[in-house]
Amino acid sequence: MSTDEAGQGGAQAQGSAQSTQGTAHGLVQLITPSGERVSHPEFDFWVRDITDEQLCSLFEDMSVIRRIDVEATALQRQGELALWPPLLGQEAAQIGSGRSLRPDDFVFSSYRENGVAYCRGVHLTDLVRVWRGNASAGWDPYTVNMATPQIIIGAQTLHATGYAMGIQNDGADSVAVTYFGDGATSEGDVNEAMVFAASFQVPVVFFCTNNQWAISEPVRLQSHIHLADRATGFGIPSMRVDGNDVLAVMAATRVALDRARRGGGPTFIEAVSYRMGPHTTADDPTRYRDPNELEDWAAKDPISRVAGLLERKGLLTEELQQQVRDKADAVAREMRDGCTTMADPQPLDVFKHVYSTPNSWLDRQQDHYARYLASFGDPAGATLEEGAR
Amino acid sequence: MTQMTFARAINAGLRKSLENDPKVVLLGEDIGMLGGVFRVTDGLQKDFGTHRVVDTPLAESAIVGTAVGLAYRGYRPVVEIQFDGFVYPAFDQIVSQVAKLHYRTRGAVKMPITIRVPFGGGIGSPEHHSESPEAYFTHTSGLRVVTVSNPQDAYTVIQQAVSCDDPVIYFEPKRRYHDKADVDETADARTAVSMEQARVLTEGTDVTLVAYGPLVKTALDAAAAAADEGISIQVIDLCSLAPVDYDTVVASVRRTGRLVVTHEAGQSGGLGAEVAASITERCFYYLEAAPVRVTGFDIPYPYSKLEMHHLPGLDRILDGVDRTLGRPNSLSGLEG
Ligand SMILES: Cc1ncc(C[n+]2csc(CCOP(=O)(O)OP(=O)(O)O)c2C)c(N)n1
């Protein structure tokens, strides 16, 4: 199923890492929007091991996470989730990069990388736990080597850089990979992360999904140059890839990972894509977005593009499509069931995990609140629902 | 009088400020075309242009830091921080620069910057969207901190904040944005009740109940419920959190002899501690009982399924009132 690590051996055999990508900021593309495989002198090498079978599995993964996204959006509309940040249109960027990582690499992402989380093996129920309001973190980062999603824009890029400093100290060859948006590149944190990463030449990959929008603000408000060019100013080699092209994303990610593993330091990838849905389910893009723009990008859809390639290769059989649909149905069902049957947290849970050792202020507050709840003869606090008005 | 929501009232106040003074400029993320994620600035960019109402890149430190530069240049920047939890990237600029420049320059430089921050919980948001960070700012000398509890005050106080020569943090209780009330748009902000003055909202003789921002409505509901039991509560909306109008609170406590302070923020080091201590200093011989705080817990703001436990509700406030009155309450029999 997974294409983890595929091609890494080949990369090692290649000898000195490709050195020219640092400044090549034409858009790297290996599959055209109509599904034609086009060759690229540098990047073909990095996906030459991808078999037809693996291509089918990438198609499946992308279809499944689109289905996860659609299902979660429906769950939000039905009142089962408080909010959801859709990734519609960003499937290639997330699967192409996510499937290139090794299990011992560590991911620091924003809230939108649910497809990456799927690649890391995050449990489907855990994917929606936070958005349902049942927890602050959906999973234990160490079980999947992925930090829980970050809401503060850009903060995770510093965490990844620090983690990479640790990897470097340990003499390991794993890589820290951080995901963030185009808007995030304006934040001080992201710029400071690049300064540290370049100064210490640590194994970190900056994966920027340029989906053209930061809520209502177009990317041209954040930058007058390609985002990939910003990294160059920090002395970080960068690439600009078609983010709707799963092979191009995979190739670029492998280049960056390979460089990091060999001690070549950080790399910045700008995956040029498009957020086809709203920013979150609370957003209304009709207030700021031209519908024609959506139409243009729909024609570059990442999933129909791989489907087109599979079709050209005679691989898009009814059998494959049925198999993908079945998988997506099963995953969606599992997520829905996990979501709707999730146990509600208990009132006194609010006091848990604030500290790892006892704290006398908090213990007293917990004791008083327990007495308060008990004074209603209702320790579950059910009568308090109205209390917060 | 026009019926309008809280959010609309702030919008109308900002519009007045933009009309009255060409030096007023608005800065923030998504405030232009979108009108802000809460639509508080809806339509202002369309009417005043992109130089007066500026959509900024995503950089809170830069939003406040450039406001400092604009203020040096004679402008009156009004910045929007999208949510309470996103004010921290700008914290350094606010506490190290905005707050101190007037003092540092011996009054030569004015920092008439208004920093609008939607704050507080109760809307089922994910983390970083429901914080009550007011104590960080009330602890910083040089800043004025205000918060309003009804559309009329929202309308006039935003104008007072913008025309104030000192920096003002203007906290907007986001869970009240959609509450509607009559607003007199002809009210002149210069002659309206000052933002520095605490508002006495109900006359009461048994207990003084101090609240601000989102909990004012809860406090009023609690007072109404208490009245049914024959308890008379005087509700005071502080409005200004720095400085606090202690004279108004003192006058009340001297009559009631009892004080309950409520806020959503955690208890330790919170504004309630400051009010309780100041009132104890000034009213010690008038107090019939120790002041009581009814607050959020000393925890990170919890996930939304449990937020109603953290937020002081009507019943918890009444339990606190019972404590000051020596009536049976959840802590009866406990010492200290
Ligand atoms: C420090 C901070 N400021 C503001 C926000 C509010 N906010 C949430 S998402 C967002 C836009 C982010 O855009 P981008 O970085 O391009 O990522 P995208 O959501 O498009 O994937 C904003 C302004 C935030 N979460 N954190």
Side-chain angles (χ1 to χ4, degrees), chain A residues 90 110-113 150-154 180-185 187 209-217 222 275 279-280, chain B residues 29-30 37 58-60 82-83 85-87 89 128-129:
Chain A
Q90 300 180 204
S110 87
Y111 43 81
R112 207 182 294 286
E113 277 77 27
Q150 177 63 249
I151 287 179
I152 299 299
I153 300 297
F180 51 98
D182 40 291
T185 62
E187 291 280 2
T209 305
N210 175 359
N211 68 11
Q212 314 301 325
W213 292 92
I215 309 188
S216 74
E217 304 189 336
Q222 318 287 338
R275 186 196 82 212
H279 167 70
T280 66
Chain B
E29 296 164 6
D30 299 297
V37 292
L58 265 61
E60 290 75 14
Q82 200 160 74
F83 273 92
F86 313 147
V87 73
H128 310 296
H129 290 75

Side-chain angles (χ1 to χ4, degrees), chain B residues 1-332:
Chain B
M1 288 284 181
T2 324
Q3 270 263 320
M4 57 174 91
T5 62
F6 212 113
R8 195 75 213 164
I10 302 170
N11 179 283
L14 287 169
R15 177 177 289 278
K16 266 264 148 64
S17 300
L18 283 159
E19 277 165 7
N20 291 345
D21 185 348
K23 291 294 186 190
V24 172
V25 290
L26 273 48
L27 305 162
E29 296 164 6
D30 299 297
I31 68 168
M33 183 88 111
L34 186 66
V37 292
F38 292 108
R39 311 288 185 257
V40 172
T41 54
D42 198 13
L44 298 178
Q45 187 181 64
K46 197 170 120 277
D47 295 343
F48 294 93
T50 52
H51 288 279
R52 304 282 309 278
V53 181
V54 185
D55 266 331
T56 66
L58 265 61
E60 290 75 14
S61 182
I63 292 171
V64 175
T66 55
V68 169
L70 281 159
Y72 256 107
R73 180 76 193 173
Y75 283 87
R76 286 186 179 275
V78 183
V79 312
E80 174 176 300
I81 299 293
Q82 200 160 74
F83 273 92
D84 34 54
F86 313 147
V87 73
Y88 304 119
F91 193 69
D92 172 54
Q93 285 292 332
I94 297 172
V95 303
S96 304
Q97 308 301 331
V98 173
K100 297 196 170 109
L101 273 161
H102 190 256
Y103 189 73
R104 188 186 295 155
T105 61
R106 294 167 161 270
V109 176
K110 292 207 184 346
M111 283 291 131
I113 299 174
T114 303
I115 302 174
R116 296 181 35 239
V117 187
F119 86 127
I123 64 165
S125 278
E127 59 176 350
H128 310 296
H129 290 75
S130 302
E131 317 243 311
S132 298
E134 60 270 21
Y136 296 119
F137 300 102
T138 60
H139 193 65
T140 299
S141 308
L143 300 176
R144 291 179 185 276
V145 182
V146 301
T147 173
V148 282
S149 71
N150 62 75
Q152 181 69 59
D153 280 347
Y155 173 71
T156 49
V157 170
I158 186 65
Q159 295 176 63
Q160 292 171 354
V162 174
S163 61
C164 177
D165 278 344
D166 291 324
V168 179
I169 317 278
Y170 181 88
F171 280 114
E172 301 172 7
K174 70 170 91 73
R175 68 166 137 146
R176 306 295 179 209
Y177 270 144
H178 301 295
D179 289 4
K180 272 191 179 166
D182 278 334
V183 173
D184 176 7
E185 280 186 273
T186 63
D188 187 337
R190 287 165 303 187
T191 53
V193 186
S194 158
M195 68 179 185
E196 297 211 354
Q197 198 177 317
R199 277 77 164 139
V200 178
L201 300 182
T202 60
E203 288 308 327
T205 51
D206 296 331
V207 179
T208 300
L209 174 57
V210 169
Y212 55 84
L215 286 188
V216 170
K217 178 175 186 296
T218 315
L220 288 169
D221 292 346
D228 292 342
E229 292 188 48
I231 301 167
S232 165
I233 295 183
Q234 180 146 55
V235 176
I236 295 181
D237 170 7
L238 286 185
C239 193
S240 176
L241 309 185
V244 167
D245 169 15
Y246 280 119
D247 291 346
T248 299
V249 185
V250 163
S252 173
V253 173
R254 287 194 174 173
R255 269 185 294 111
T256 63
R258 294 179 174 85
L259 172 68
V260 175
V261 192
T262 187
H263 54 63
E264 290 188 9
Q267 181 167 304
S268 303
L271 196 67
E274 165 62 30
V275 172
S278 295
I279 292 305
T280 304
E281 282 175 356
R282 292 177 61 169
C283 303
F284 188 70
Y285 293 105
Y286 294 84
L287 284 168
E288 308 276 351
V292 164
R293 289 170 287 168
V294 181
T295 68
F297 304 119
D298 292 341
I299 59 173
Y301 195 85
Y303 29 96
S304 57
K305 277 266 166 75
L306 293 183
E307 67 181 334
M308 79 290 264
H309 290 284
H310 173 68
L311 296 171
L314 179 153
D315 288 322
R316 256 173 85 199
I317 291 175
L318 290 178
D319 190 65
V321 167
D322 285 341
R323 280 163 70 189
T324 65
L325 287 166
R327 289 162 43 110
N329 63 80
S330 67
L331 302 186
S332 293

Side-chain angles (χ1 to χ4, degrees), chain A residues 250-317:
Chain A
M250 191 163 234
T253 310
R254 286 170 164 189
V255 167
L257 290 170
D258 181 60
R259 177 180 291 144
R261 292 198 207 290
R262 292 153 175 271
T267 302
F268 184 104
I269 297 169
E270 177 188 355
V272 181
S273 184
Y274 190 74
R275 186 196 82 212
M276 295 213 271
H279 167 70
T280 66
T281 45
D283 177 40
D284 173 13
T286 62
R287 287 182 68 103
Y288 54 81
R289 206 162 69 181
D290 180 347
N292 292 322
E293 186 183 283
L294 180 58
E295 221 173 279
D296 290 349
W297 280 93
K300 303 179 197 167
D301 186 279
I303 298 185
S304 47
R305 185 179 307 206
V306 198
L309 178 59
L310 292 174
E311 186 154 27
R312 282 165 195 265
K313 287 171 160 263
L315 297 169
L316 194 68
T317 59

